[in-house]
Amino acid sequence: MSPHPRRTRRVLALTLALLISIPALAQSKRIREHEVVREETVYSISRRYNVPIEKIYELNPWARTQIKVGDKLLIPSEATSHSSTSPKAESRKHVVAAGETLYRISKNYGIELEELLRANPGVTSSNVKVGMELVIPSPQAEQSATPSPTPEPQSVEITSSQVAKAQVRVALLLPLTKGRRYVEFYEGFLLGMYELKKTGVSIQLTTLDTPTDDALSGHIAQGKLRDMDLVFGGVNEQQIGALARAGGYRYYVVPFSRVDGLELGAGNSAVLVNAHPEYLIDRVIPSFLQRYKGREVVFVKRSSDSEDLFAQELRKALRSAGLPHRTIELGGQSPTLGTTAVLVPVSADRNLAQATISYLERQSSTNLTLFGYPQWQAFGAGFQRSLSRYNATIYSSFFFDPTTSESRDFLTQYNHWFSHKIDNTYPKYSVLGYDLARYFIRAYSLYGQGFVKHLNSLPSDGLQLDIYPKVTFTDEQDGARRSVYTNTRCYLVTYKSSGTIQRDAI
């Protein structure tokens, strides 16, 4: 009979620890034992005990593959994980004045924002106040201070031989002093950059605050986008248009708004992350017809509801295919449903969605199901549980499942760095920043200016979205090619009655 695997791991770990640390153990209790509990990761344990993750792996090499509830980890004390002879970095104090932001303070002192945040635990861009005293680390602190927390490896691996040597120059233009969601995007973007730097990617980031359209235009006029490889930003049609027309950079990534008919500057190319609804609907409807073949489709509305584009196009497709469908109006005596009906509210309205759930609860059949909209992701945990009762499916180009191990690691790391939870928005801006930084900067570091041709071959490891671009516009002007690419990746997300979530790419 083979030994119990958990016991074997513990014996191997203890043997290794004794071989490494017998003198240290004789002097003091420098090794402790930790029993893994539910939802813990090696990263979260390393943060709990304030030791680098690599030190835990040294004593528990088997943990690199997987840890489970009940496993025992040997944890070195803080004294064994940092050198006692390391020089202590000098620091200064700064009292926050009216109108100052953390980003501006970091730039005034010549340090990175992430260094300022690490030196001031609990302080975030959203809670900094006038009169608050901040610790300002010296620019050299990075070499002598405690190493930054090292998150657990993501599913994709990039070896140093795969990473291009050239530095990727990135410009990020956001209204950081105007909106919390853009601050969250920036914070997630920093974490994405941090992950890439660990794989050897060299990045030069220029962050520009754009509280107004004039401020953004001023940055362009001053040539701050010149020679940039990647430009991210623009939060309205005017800003996006101005960035698209600006010259001197390689690629413009439009993270937020849907914009059609971009007027590009000579030699510029743009990638629209957020596809126009028509692109998504064209992909969703054939999948819908296949998934619910043989079932009656029932459109649900109230007297005050009007149909959105998805409901209109789905109704046309059903009629063209000769498939059964009808419309019922909620309120009063609503008709009884067939035993296998698929309910489709005619719009993404929150009240209509809630009314449809209430209607389903009054039906006797257990085989009824529900199909809905991307916006439903932001309706709260209670609503999500209601969807699970009916194996409901939504379509979306963005979806973040907080129950996966990769998502839990991201949330743990995010909470540690920025001391607040991510907002319940659609999409989740912090995760969007994280995904876009990792995806586009990695692509440019690997393939250079022709990276768009290779985007479909990159790993699909986004926490909230993946990028599958389709050329939607191209021409040449003065011998320079201009192209617009639109992300056409879409998902069908099913909230299963078992409590799990299934995300299928279409």
Side-chain angles (χ1 to χ4, degrees):
M1 185 174 183
S2 60
H4 190 283
R6 184 176 298 166
R7 186 176 304 146
T8 302
R9 293 192 194 116
R10 292 176 60 188
V11 171
L12 288 173
L14 181 57
T15 302
L16 179 62
L18 289 173
L19 289 172
I20 294 172
S21 307
I22 286 176
L25 285 168
Q27 294 174 12
S28 63
K29 294 181 179 178
R30 293 191 174 186
I31 301 291
R32 70 187 79 187
E33 189 177 67
H34 174 85
E35 182 171 343
V36 178
V37 299
R38 186 179 179 185
E39 297 188 353
E40 277 190 321
T41 65
V42 179
Y43 170 72
S44 67
I45 294 168
S46 74
R47 298 315 309 155
R48 174 176 176 176
Y49 291 103
N50 194 30
V51 298
I53 198 170
E54 288 302 325
K55 293 295 181 181
I56 296 180
Y57 284 140
E58 282 181 13
L59 298 184
N60 309 272
W62 53 268
R64 290 183 182 275
T65 304
Q66 183 185 28
I67 62 172
K68 302 189 297 296
V69 173
D71 282 348
K72 300 294 180 65
L73 294 175
L74 295 171
I75 309 296
S77 72
E78 185 177 0
T80 62
S81 58
H82 308 303
S83 172
S84 59
T85 60
S86 297
K88 186 175 180 179
E90 296 181 1
S91 60
R92 295 155 285 178
K93 301 289 185 181
H94 176 86
V95 177
V96 179
E100 285 189 317
T101 64
L102 293 181
Y103 166 74
R104 186 162 299 170
I105 293 168
S106 69
K107 291 306 178 187
N108 287 343
Y109 283 95
I111 60 175
E112 295 295 327
L113 176 59
E114 59 194 74
E115 295 178 72
L116 182 62
L117 290 169
R118 282 201 300 269
N120 298 272
V123 176
T124 70
S125 300
S126 58
N127 68 15
V128 64
K129 297 178 181 178
V130 173
M132 183 180 289
E133 188 175 75
L134 301 176
V135 175
I136 308 297
S138 69
Q140 292 78 29
E142 185 176 351
Q143 297 179 1
S144 58
T146 301
S148 301
T150 305
E152 292 185 77
Q154 299 294 318
S155 57
V156 64
E157 295 182 0
I158 302 175
T159 64
S160 58
S161 62
Q162 291 176 290
V163 176
K165 299 299 182 183
Q167 186 177 66
V168 183
R169 293 158 296 186
V170 180
L172 188 61
L173 297 95
L174 296 171
L176 295 174
T177 55
K178 288 289 186 179
R180 175 183 172 89
R181 57 183 177 171
Y182 301 119
V183 172
E184 287 204 4
F185 179 90
Y186 178 45
E187 292 169 342
F189 199 91
L190 289 178
L191 286 184
M193 286 178 48
Y194 179 73
E195 290 292 326
L196 293 175
K197 286 184 177 181
K198 290 192 303 172
T199 68
V201 178
S202 178
I203 308 166
Q204 175 187 315
L205 175 66
T206 300
T207 306
L208 303 171
D209 189 20
T210 56
T212 64
D213 295 348
D214 288 341
L216 182 140
S217 298
H219 293 314
I220 294 174
Q222 294 167 31
K224 293 185 178 179
L225 305 186
R226 194 167 296 128
D227 296 325
M228 292 291 172
D229 297 313
L230 297 169
V231 174
F232 296 80
V235 298
N236 59 43
E237 189 169 343
Q238 182 173 334
Q239 291 187 5
I240 293 169
L243 288 170
R245 291 188 298 272
Y249 62 80
R250 308 290 185 271
Y251 278 91
Y252 173 33
V253 180
V254 186
F256 310 119
S257 302
R258 302 181 180 97
V259 176
D260 294 320
L262 276 184
E263 181 183 343
L264 297 173
N268 286 357
S269 289
V271 181
L272 301 174
V273 172
N274 198 358
H276 193 280
E278 290 182 5
Y279 288 110
L280 301 184
I281 291 170
D282 285 346
R283 298 177 72 88
V284 171
I285 288 180
S287 297
F288 179 100
L289 297 180
Q290 180 63 33
R291 174 174 290 217
Y292 299 113
K293 187 176 182 179
R295 303 184 69 164
E296 182 188 27
V297 177
V298 178
F299 293 96
V300 182
K301 62 175 295 185
R302 299 164 302 172
S303 59
S304 59
D305 291 314
S306 57
E307 292 191 359
D308 79 353
L309 183 62
F310 172 73
Q312 294 172 15
E313 294 301 316
L314 177 59
R315 191 186 296 276
K316 290 179 186 177
L318 291 166
R319 188 180 303 120
S320 176
L323 297 175
H325 62 281
R326 59 178 167 138
T327 302
I328 63 172
E329 188 171 305
L330 301 180
Q333 296 229 332
S334 300
T336 302
L337 298 174
T339 57
T340 61
V342 182
L343 276 68
V344 182
V346 298
S347 78
D349 180 82
R350 181 175 191 142
N351 292 329
L352 175 58
Q354 295 283 10
T356 304
I357 292 289
S358 298
Y359 175 63
L360 277 169
E361 290 172 348
R362 297 193 297 270
Q363 303 300 309
S364 58
S365 174
T366 58
N367 293 322
L368 300 173
T369 191
L370 183 63
F371 191 92
Y373 299 84
Q375 294 87 337
W376 287 9
Q377 297 174 61
F379 290 176
F383 184 79
Q384 313 304 317
R385 287 191 292 271
S386 298
L387 296 180
S388 296
R389 291 201 297 271
Y390 300 101
N391 285 297
T393 297
I394 66 171
Y395 75 91
S396 181
S397 54
F398 300 92
F399 183 77
F400 177 68
D401 181 0
T403 66
T404 67
S405 59
E406 295 85 1
S407 296
R408 290 199 302 268
D409 287 344
F410 167 81
L411 293 172
T412 299
Q413 186 181 6
Y414 184 89
N415 291 340
H416 171 74
W417 275 40
F418 304 112
S419 300
H420 66 87
K421 295 181 179 180
I422 65 175
D423 278 353
N424 184 31
T425 58
Y426 163 75
K428 298 196 179 339
Y429 278 70
S430 56
V431 188
L432 180 61
Y434 180 80
D435 282 347
L436 295 189
R438 288 198 313 138
Y439 199 96
F440 284 98
I441 297 175
R442 176 174 57 191
Y444 203 97
S445 73
L446 290 170
Y447 300 112
Q449 194 165 346
F451 79 96
V452 174
K453 299 176 184 178
H454 301 275
L455 285 179
N456 291 344
S457 65
L458 288 172
S460 299
D461 63 342
L463 297 185
Q464 184 171 225
L465 84 162
D466 295 316
I467 308 295
Y468 281 75
K470 174 183 176 183
V471 177
T472 51
F473 168 82
T474 186
D475 75 353
E476 289 192 13
Q477 185 181 56
D478 300 327
R481 190 177 186 84
R482 305 179 301 169
S483 300
V484 174
Y485 300 85
T486 298
N487 181 28
T488 59
R489 170 56 83 213
C490 187
Y491 306 105
L492 293 182
V493 179
T494 301
Y495 296 81
K496 292 182 168 291
S497 57
S498 62
T500 60
I501 298 174
Q502 181 174 324
R503 185 176 80 168
D504 297 315
I506 58 173

